[in-house]
Structure formats: structure tokens, C-alpha cells
Amino acid sequence: MTRGSRALVVLLGATALLVVVAVVSLFAGSKDTGLTDVLPVLAGGGDEYVQAVVDSRVARTALGALVGAALAASGVIVQGITRNPLGEPGLLGVTVGASAAVVTATAFFGFTGGGATVWVALPGAAVAVLAVVTLGRRSGSESVVPLVLAGAVLSAVLGAYIQAMVLARPDVFDSYRHWVVGSLAGADLQTLQAVAPAAIAGAVLALVLASSLDSLALGDELATSLGVRVPLVRGAGIAAATLLAAAATAAAGPVAFVGLAVPHVVRALVGTDHRWQLPVSFVLGAALLVAADVAGRVVARPGELMVGVVTAFVGAPFLLAAVRRGRVTT
Amino acid sequence: MTDTTAASHTAPGTTARGLVADDLEVGYGPTTVLDGLNLTLPAGAFTAIVGPNGCGKSTLVRTLARTLRPRRGAVLLDGRPLTAWRPKQLAQQLAFLPQDPVVPDGVTVRSLVARGRHPYHSPLRQWAPGDDEAVAHAMDVTGVTALADDPLAELSGGQRQRAWIAMTLAQDTPHVLLDEPTSFLDLAHQIDVLHVCRDMRDQGRTVVAVLHDLNQAARYADHLVVMHEGRVHAEGTPDAVLGGDAGARLVGDVFDLACEIATDPQSGTPMVVPLARA
């Protein structure tokens, strides 16, 4: 079987998996709703309370799929551009930027979380990435090391700022503590509508860049001779990764691990070609996150575990499997 | 994206086909490496660029491949400065294999060779018709078809170099530039790569390679360019450049090496034999 047809099989399999977990997500939850309760609702009728529950689960499932897809693809791009197997969206400052913005709004402007979090976290993430890119840019340098270091510096500084604020005023940070772990509990269609444009723009940009990212992986010189405008592609790649990760983080908080683990699993399955890695990471990331969210709702009834807590537990076995097969590659 | 657009942009008075370096000055920071270099590479021939370490061979070939920007002067392809070409259009004309390309971890030979097709892709068409045929053909002529699904990192140095050359072949360009393609290979693999260069020329390509071994250059190349201190010291056929007493004098001047010139018993080309030291 050639690489392409194998990748197509993987893509179809991942899509089937996503469909299954999405359907389960509509039925499963901290309130036990059976097939006989949910089906009438989906058909447009049924009990009013169950209807509200199912509506919220539809929004939650859709948002979970978007967050997972966006984080996974963002991780693929960041690992590709930085040629760093430990790369993840946080490397560019997305996570700390969004968190610092939320903390600042909470501490100084009486912000209490909820639906408006999106409009605080998105610009925070964008500003942080701009700062990292500006600090990491060295004229004429072909290395991505300055970019990675700038990201690490900004993460350290903003991380310390966040810690200091939270320690100084623990009373006001209750909603932040929940947000910072990553949760889909408050998911609604407004949040989905708010972040979808950024996520879709990032996804389209990523797919358009796929072939160029393959060339960029061979080094700047070879990429240039293959007709790649290197600074343009690198900049656009960072923009795509930022849009994706910022949309996800704004919607659900900084969900860890998906952006790191899914790219490795995807590479183990379909190889190093970005033209396959990106579509497969969208679907697999979405499936992982929705599955983690379902697990979080089911294991701690009648409460629930936040999805950011569960992703690591659900994702770790897959990452370990990829490692043990010796197929973890950049 | 056709040749007609290229021709219509040809500047008046510069109708030369192929690659021409026009009064190049190239440097890094405060150092100037090439200073007023002029060179016309013969079309359809295998040209070897030789010279001592630090003479600017790599700088020249990288400037010809547009990965370095000259401070002054220009490189012209078919009479048109490289900077005036659209990057992908140029990449369909001119392929370059750097000395030390980055190997993406876990990349297979097929995936690597397929990346040579990038110039034929566009944002909305990331697979082009003809990709599969070009990749298969490039792997075939370089003899790496059997290795197609092997990770590059697990190949021997010689096999790896063949895979890289296959990638530049998949780019399907009339001009191919290679920066030290034989370095770090054992002798058999060096000869192997030189034969691949010759085959590329036989298929009608212009091949330019930076080489270290003067005898190999004389034996396999049609045209020698001898660089010295950032300038072209001599150029011409191997016989004209290295033959006889003049060749021995040239090696003395450029490499600071006393030698006599013998004749290669196999090819009849000039062969540099360093004199024994007392």
C-alpha cells in the first residue's frame, strides 16, 4: 500500500472515530439520558428539560471538536516550523498570553469570566505571539532558535506575573482557576460563533501552506531553491498556528497535551507529509478532545472532570504507543 | 508559468541563454568573498567549479542558486535577473542541492523526492498532475526505487546522496547546481555521483557542481572553472586548463602545490600528481 492510500485509510478511520465519539457525547453526561430520551429531541420534540440538556451537549460537542482540531493542527505547524519535537502552541506564547490577559482583566477590571472570556483571551494571545515574533526576529538569521528562546522568555515572565497576581488576590480568581485548566463546561453556541472565524481562517491558511511547510522542513536554502518565499511562509505558518491555538484557548482555556501529543501520533500514522498530517490532525485532535470530554463527564458523576485534566490521561497512552513503535519523529 | 513569459521579459541586449554571473560582489558582513566576478556557464554541459578552500566556490554556487543575494551585480538566467523571476517559475528552471540540507526526522526516500515537486504546486493545488511519474522517474534513474519506503536516516551516505539528487531531479529543471555533492562519500560513491551528473548532462541538462578532487573534475566535467581569491582564475576544457606545463603552473599558483601533470590512463584527461617532498 502506498503512503497516500494508507493515509487516506487513516483519515477515513479517524473520521469514523470522530463520528462515534460525537454521537456518544450527545447521549452521555452527568445526567443519565437514554436513547429513548434523546432520540425524540433530535427529531425535534421530546421532554423540554432533556431538550435543554441535549442542546447544550450539541454546542459542547461542536466546540470540543473545534478546540481539539485547532490545537492538534497548531501543534503540527509549530513542530514543523521550529523543527522541534517538543513544540506545541504554547511555545509561541499563545497560552501565557491568553492567561495573562484573563488574569489582568480579572484583577483590575472586575472581570468575572463567562462568555466574555473569549474577547479577553483572543487579543491576549495575539499580542503575546506578536511580542515573541518581534523579539525573536534577527535580521538575516536562518535559525528558529531565537524564536523558540523568545517564546520561553515571554512564557517565564508572564508565568511569574500570573503566579504573583493569583497569589496576591486568591479571592477573585475562582473562575480563573477553572478556566486555566481547560474546560468545556460553559460551552454555548455564542462561544462557538465567537471563535469559529479565527479557527476557520487558521485552518484554511494551514491547508494552503501544507506543501510549502514540507519544503521548509528541508532547511531555508533548499526551500528557497524549491520556490518557497521562506520569510512569508514562516510568518504565515506562525499566523495560522496562532489563529488556531488562540481560538481554542479562548474557547476552552489552555487545554494541555493535545497540541504536543496528537502531532506525534499523526506522524506515526501517516508520515512526515504535511498535506496528510494537517487533515488527519484536525480529525484526530477533535476525536481525542471530544472523547476526553465525554470521559470527564461520565467518570465523576454527578459532577464532572474538566477536559484539560482528562486529555493527558486519554492522550498519554497514544503518545507512548507512538514512542514505543519508534515512530516518533519530527 | 511558461517559457513565453520568461522570453517576453528578457532585457534588451542580454539574450544569452543559460546562467550568467554579471559583475558579482558577494560577502558576509564586513568580508567580501566574491569581488567583480563574471562567468557564463556553458549550456548543456557539466561544469565543475574547483579551487582551494575559502576561494568562494560555495559562495558562487549559492549565489547562482539565489540563496545568497549579491551586493552588486546580478545572476541572469536566460537574460533575466534571478530577482525578476517569480520564485516558483524560477524553481522550475533551476534546482540546487546545498552541501548540508536538513533531513526531516523519519522522512522516507519517496516523501523526500516528492518534495522536489513543490514548484509545480499552488496553494489550491497541492498535488500536481505528473507528480507520481516525475518522482518514480527520478528514483529510477538514481537507483533508489527499491529504497522508496525506507527512512532516509537509515541509508548509507552514498544512498542518501542519491536520494537527495533524486529530489533535485524530480524538480525537473534544465539547470542543476550541486554544492560539493561528493564530499564525505567514499571513492566508489564519489564516482557513482559523478556518473549521475554525467547522465543528467546526457539528458540535456546544464549541470554545475562544486568539486574538490581536481582529477575527478578533469575526468568527468566538460568545463572547468578554477576559482582563486574570489575571482575566476581560469576556465575552459580540462585539457586547456590543466594540461601540460601551463596546468602545473596553474596548480602551483592557485593551490600553492608543486606538481606535474600526467595523463589519466583510463580517460586520457590531465591528472595532477603532486611532487614528492624531500
Side-chain angles (χ1 to χ4, degrees):
Chain A
M1 194 155 53
T2 69
R3 206 70 189 176
S5 59
R6 181 195 151 93
L8 193 61
V9 169
V10 169
L11 185 58
L12 293 175
T15 309
L17 181 70
L18 175 60
V19 170
V20 170
V21 295
V23 169
V24 171
S25 171
L26 295 182
F27 289 94
S30 41
K31 169 162 171 52
D32 194 12
T33 45
L35 208 59
T36 46
D37 299 320
V38 175
L39 280 183
V41 173
L42 293 178
D47 180 68
E48 223 166 83
Y49 175 66
V50 178
Q51 201 166 1
V53 169
V54 173
D55 277 354
S56 79
R57 282 185 194 159
V58 170
R60 184 174 183 150
T61 305
L63 197 67
L66 180 144
V67 168
L71 287 175
S74 183
V76 166
I77 300 169
V78 172
Q79 289 182 6
I81 285 182
T82 61
R83 298 178 195 129
N84 174 359
L86 291 178
E88 42 108 19
L91 204 67
L92 297 174
V94 173
T95 315
V96 286
S99 304
V102 171
V103 162
T104 306
T106 308
F108 298 113
F109 304 105
F111 180 72
T112 55
T117 309
V118 171
W119 302 113
V120 177
L122 265 183
V127 169
V129 175
L130 276 182
V132 167
V133 171
T134 309
L135 291 171
R137 191 168 55 198
R138 230 176 35 189
S139 59
S141 169
E142 290 190 355
S143 169
V144 289
V145 173
L147 184 74
V148 175
L149 283 178
V153 168
L154 192 85
S155 293
V157 171
L158 287 183
Y161 163 74
I162 293 165
Q163 293 271 340
M165 295 307 292
V166 174
L167 281 175
R169 304 189 53 193
D171 50 313
V172 300
F173 283 106
D174 197 50
S175 72
Y176 171 78
R177 280 194 301 113
H178 286 89
W179 179 83
V180 80
V181 178
S183 170
L184 290 169
D188 52 25
L189 285 174
Q190 282 74 41
T191 311
L192 187 63
Q193 279 164 0
V195 300
I200 290 169
V204 170
L205 190 54
L207 290 173
V208 158
L209 290 173
S211 181
S212 301
L213 292 174
D214 282 339
S215 303
L216 200 58
L218 304 174
D220 291 4
E221 271 202 308
L222 206 41
T224 302
S225 70
L226 286 168
V228 174
R229 297 172 201 258
V230 171
L232 182 73
V233 166
R234 187 171 287 142
I238 290 172
T242 304
L243 284 167
L244 287 164
T249 307
V255 177
F257 205 66
V258 179
L260 172 68
V262 175
H264 286 289
V265 176
V266 168
R267 266 193 298 276
L269 291 171
V270 301
T272 51
D273 188 335
H274 281 86
R275 296 173 300 179
W276 285 111
Q277 275 187 41
L278 284 165
V280 171
S281 70
F282 284 134
V283 181
L284 213 59
L288 171 68
L289 205 96
V290 173
D293 186 44
V294 170
R297 275 184 273 159
V298 173
V299 295
R301 278 179 183 160
E304 58 175 69
L305 272 180
M306 287 168 288
V307 70
V309 175
V310 186
T311 44
F313 286 109
V314 176
F318 291 102
L319 181 55
L320 281 179
V323 173
R324 291 190 59 88
R325 282 178 64 203
R327 297 289 293 275
V328 164
T329 57
T330 50
Chain B
M1 293 220 185
T2 60
D3 279 338
T4 46
T5 37
S8 65
H9 283 78
T10 302
T14 53
T15 50
R17 302 288 296 172
L19 268 174
V20 175
D22 179 23
D23 191 27
L24 284 184
E25 182 188 311
V26 187
Y28 309 89
T31 12
T32 299
V33 181
L34 305 181
D35 191 3
L37 183 142
N38 290 291
L39 181 65
T40 300
L41 290 159
F46 175 12
T47 298
I49 301 175
V50 297
N53 289 333
C55 69
K57 306 185 292 285
S58 269
T59 302
L60 173 61
V61 79
R62 291 168 73 199
T63 310
L64 293 172
R66 74 182 169 309
T67 63
L68 280 180
R69 283 283 183 91
R71 286 184 193 152
R72 193 186 70 222
V75 176
L76 308 175
L77 176 63
D78 296 345
R80 190 172 154 202
L82 296 188
T83 46
W85 288 74
R86 292 170 52 91
K88 279 190 181 165
Q89 214 179 358
L90 185 56
Q92 293 176 9
Q93 297 292 319
L94 186 65
F96 171 51
L97 182 60
Q99 198 178 345
D100 209 4
V102 177
V103 180
D105 270 341
V107 74
T108 61
V109 170
R110 190 195 304 279
S111 172
L112 181 81
V113 176
R115 288 170 200 220
R117 299 301 293 168
H118 180 72
Y120 302 92
H121 298 162
S122 70
L124 298 179
R125 198 184 65 173
Q126 311 235 346
W127 276 271
D131 279 4
D132 290 345
E133 292 75 14
V135 169
H137 180 253
M139 290 198 298
D140 186 38
V141 297
T142 49
V144 295
T145 306
L147 309 169
D149 293 310
D150 292 356
L152 199 70
E154 289 174 15
L155 305 184
S156 73
Q159 292 169 327
R160 207 175 305 170
Q161 191 65 317
R162 280 172 166 271
W164 282 111
I165 292 175
M167 196 209 74
T168 60
L169 278 179
Q171 208 173 326
D172 196 16
T173 57
H175 305 270
V176 177
L177 308 175
L178 306 160
D179 192 2
E180 300 205 19
T182 57
S183 298
F184 311 113
L185 298 180
D186 63 37
L187 184 58
H189 286 124
Q190 290 177 21
I191 300 299
D192 219 33
V193 165
L194 291 166
H195 277 283
V196 172
C197 290
R198 249 194 193 171
D199 293 344
M200 289 195 277
R201 179 211 54 198
D202 290 343
Q203 290 151 12
R205 293 183 165 88
T206 305
V207 180
V208 180
V210 173
L211 296 178
H212 263 298
D213 189 309
L214 285 177
N215 298 337
Q216 289 178 0
R219 184 165 168 166
Y220 286 94
D222 308 307
H223 191 80
L224 287 189
V225 173
V226 183
M227 301 262 310
H228 187 42
E229 291 172 352
R231 290 166 178 275
V232 174
H233 187 89
E235 62 170 317
T237 62
D239 275 331
V241 173
L242 282 180
D245 292 344
R249 265 200 309 280
L250 176 129
V251 174
D253 290 347
V254 173
F255 290 90
D256 197 17
L257 177 74
C259 69
E260 64 172 300
I261 302 296
T263 301
D264 185 313
Q266 287 289 317
S267 60
T269 50
M271 192 166 73
V272 177
V273 181
L275 297 186
R277 290 185 192 175

